[in-house]
Amino acid sequence: MKKTFKINFLLPLTILLAVTGCKKSFEDLTQNNNKPSSVPASLLFNGVVNNMVDLPDGGGNSIIYASSSNGNKDEIWSQYYIYNYNYYGNNTYDFDSGADYYTTLKNVLAMEAQATAAGGAAINPYEAMGKFFRAYFFSKMSLERGDIPMTQALQGLGNLTPVYDTQKAVMIQSLAWLESANSDLSQLIQTPSVGGTGLGASLAGDIFFSNSLAQWQKVVNTYRIRLLIELSKKVSDADLNVATQFNTIISNPTKYPLMQSNSDNMQYVFVNPSNFYPENPTNFGQSGSRQNHSSTYLGLLTQLQDPRTYVVAEPARYQVDTLHKSSTDFNSFIGAPAGLDLGVMYSNAGLQKYSFINRKRYYSTTTGEPSIQIGYPELLFNIAEGINRGWATGNAETYYINGIQASMASYGIPVNGLLTAYFYHPLPGSTTGVVDASNYEAYNVNINWNTYYGQTGVQYAGGATGLTQILEQKYLAMFRHSGLEAYFNYRRTGVPAFNTGPGNDNGSRIAMRFQYPSSERTSNSANYNAALTSQYGGNDDINGIMWILK
C-alpha cells in the first residue's frame, strides 16, 4: 500500500509539470541561454557614434543608405574630387533617398533604456547624448528631404504609418533637444553623482573623445551653431528666434562651451590594421587615376594662391612636362569642370591635363588624415557668418582669420616659414609605388601669412563681399570632411558657384533634395502623398525647394 501511494502521488505532479512546460511561449522556447539577451548601453552607444561617420571617397556605413550607390558621393556632390571614368562612378546628381537613420534612432532608444536599467538616473550620460543624437539624425534627414516622420516615428508595431512632421517642427524640436542636452551635460559634468549608479551612470564605448562629457558638450553646442546657420533664410521667423539663439550661445561661453581648437574636432581616426583610410597603397593601382580634382575646389584654391594647394593636390603633369611650367606654379594645378562630359574628361585625364589628389598625403599610408565630422574651423566660419549677418556683436574678421589659420594648421602649414611639398613623379619603370619616398619630388615653398592675407580676394572686406569670403573659406576648409555640409552650404547660399553641364545629368542642374524611401509609397502612402502635396506639388522631385531654402 505504501508503494502504491507513492506512485499515485507522483503521477499528477508529472502531468502538471508537463502541462506547465507546454505553456511556455515560442520566444521562451527559442531563447539561447548561452548568448546574451540584452546589449549594454555602452555597446549601443558605440554603434550609434560609428553610424554618425561620413567618410571621404565612398567610405561610410552602408546600412545607413537605402541605395548603395549613393553612400559614396558626398564628395562628388560637393564638387571636390570627381570621377573621370564612368566604370568606377560618375558626377551625376542622381539623388535617391539618401541616409536613413531610423534604425540607428531605435538603437538610441534601446541605449537609453539599458542605461536606466543599469542604474542610470533620470539624467545620465546616455540620456543626455540621446537628445543630441535625436537632434543630429532627425535634422540631417530633414535637411536631405524636407518634412519627415519624427513625433510618431520609432513606435514600431504601435504605429506603422507615422505622420510627417514639418521641417520647421523638426528644426524647432532639434534645437530644443540640443538646449536640453547642453543643460543635462552641464549637470553631469559639475555633479557626476546625479547620473545615478552603476554602468548606466558612466559613459563608455566612445570612439571620439574617450568618454569625455566636456568634449561632447562642446560638440553639442558647435552643432547647434551649425544648425542655426542652416536656418539663415528663416531669421525672421519668431518661432525659431535664430538670431537670439545664436547670440545667446556666443555671448555665454560658460553656459554654452564651444570648440576652442583643432584638438576639439569630432573626428574619425584611422588605425592600422583595423580600419584603413579610403585611399591607401592597397587600392592605388586601381583607383589612383580614376578621379581628379574639380575646378570648383582647386580653381578657388589657385585663384587665391592658397598654400593648401600644395598639400591636397599635385600639378597636372601636362603643364609641367609638356608646357614646362614650374611644379609649384599655381597655374600648373588644374581641376576639371564637374559638369564636363565624362568622355572628354577621361581623355584629358589620360593626357594628365588635370591634377590628381596628393598621393603623399592621401595614398602613401593606410591611415591618411582624420575625417572631421564636426570641426573647429567650420565653427569659426559659422560664427563669422552670424556676426556678418548681424546676429551678434563681435569681430567677424577675427573669427574669419582664425578659421583660415586653423584649417591651414590642420594641414601642417605654418603661418610663416617653409612648407615641403611632395608630388608623386616616379621614374620610368619604377614599380615601388606610392609608399616609396624616392618616387616623390620635394619642393620647399615659402609661406608668408601677410602676403597671403594681403590679397584682395582673401582680406576680409565686410558686408556682402565679406560674407562670400567667409563661405568660400569654409568650403575650402571642409574638403574631404563633414559629409554633405559643403553641399548644404552651396544649396543655401550659392557659394561657391558650382559648375553644371551634361556630366551632371538632371538637365545639367544641381539637385536640391533627396527623395523619400521607396517603401513609404506603399507602407505609408497616405502620409507620404500628403507630405509631397504640401511641399513639392505632389511630386517626389529632387529639384523641389524645401521650406528651409525659401
Side-chain angles (χ1 to χ4, degrees), residues 333-346:
F333 294 82
I334 308 293
L340 188 65
D341 178 86
L342 272 192
V344 177
M345 195 185 301
Y346 176 65

Side-chain angles (χ1 to χ4, degrees), residues 55-60 72 75-76 80-83 270-272 275-293 312 356-371 434-435 440 479-481:
L55 301 181
D57 196 45
N72 63 351
E75 197 165 26
I76 306 298
Y80 282 128
Y81 194 55
I82 57 179
Y83 286 107
F270 297 89
V271 180
N272 184 23
N275 57 320
F276 285 3
Y277 191 75
E279 285 107 351
N280 59 75
T282 67
N283 59 31
F284 172 71
Q286 174 178 323
S287 59
S289 61
R290 302 309 183 193
Q291 289 179 267
N292 48 252
H293 276 291
V312 302
F356 296 114
I357 203 166
N358 189 282
R359 322 302 173 89
K360 180 71 171 177
R361 183 173 183 84
Y362 297 106
Y363 269 109
S364 67
T365 70
T366 58
T367 53
E369 65 181 9
S371 179
V434 290
V435 298
Y440 292 89
F479 174 61
R480 313 226 89 187
H481 302 300

Side-chain angles (χ1 to χ4, degrees), residues 260-451:
Q260 297 297 309
S261 70
N262 282 327
S263 63
D264 291 330
N265 288 340
M266 178 184 160
Q267 60 185 24
Y268 187 83
V269 178
F270 297 89
V271 180
N272 184 23
S274 57
N275 57 320
F276 285 3
Y277 191 75
E279 285 107 351
N280 59 75
T282 67
N283 59 31
F284 172 71
Q286 174 178 323
S287 59
S289 61
R290 302 309 183 193
Q291 289 179 267
N292 48 252
H293 276 291
S294 163
S295 60
T296 305
Y297 170 64
L298 191 56
L300 181 57
L301 279 175
T302 57
Q303 174 189 328
L304 300 177
Q305 298 190 20
D306 194 300
R308 284 170 286 191
T309 304
Y310 302 125
V311 182
V312 302
E314 294 177 349
R317 297 313 312 179
Y318 180 83
Q319 298 290 320
V320 177
D321 299 336
T322 303
L323 301 183
H324 306 296
K325 293 181 181 178
S326 167
S327 292
T328 57
D329 185 338
F330 286 109
N331 292 319
S332 295
F333 294 82
I334 308 293
L340 188 65
D341 178 86
L342 272 192
V344 177
M345 195 185 301
Y346 176 65
S347 175
N348 289 339
L351 295 172
Q352 300 194 69
K353 291 187 175 182
Y354 301 131
S355 293
F356 296 114
I357 203 166
N358 189 282
R359 322 302 173 89
K360 180 71 171 177
R361 183 173 183 84
Y362 297 106
Y363 269 109
S364 67
T365 70
T366 58
T367 53
E369 65 181 9
S371 179
I372 300 170
Q373 309 301 302
I374 302 172
Y376 176 62
E378 178 199 344
L379 169 66
L380 294 172
F381 292 122
N382 284 340
I383 295 175
E385 179 178 344
I387 294 173
N388 176 281
R389 293 182 181 277
W391 297 356
T393 58
N395 191 327
E397 184 176 18
T398 298
Y399 286 101
Y400 170 74
I401 289 173
N402 290 342
I404 299 173
Q405 292 185 343
S407 174
M408 289 189 176
S410 71
Y411 290 109
I413 298 173
V415 175
N416 294 293
L418 289 178
L419 168 70
T420 302
Y422 296 93
F423 303 139
Y424 186 66
H425 193 212
L427 294 173
S430 173
T431 59
T432 50
V434 290
V435 298
D436 187 349
S438 67
N439 285 333
Y440 292 89
E441 296 175 343
Y443 299 87
N444 288 324
V445 181
N446 185 54
I447 307 299
N448 185 288
W449 169 257
N450 289 334
T451 300

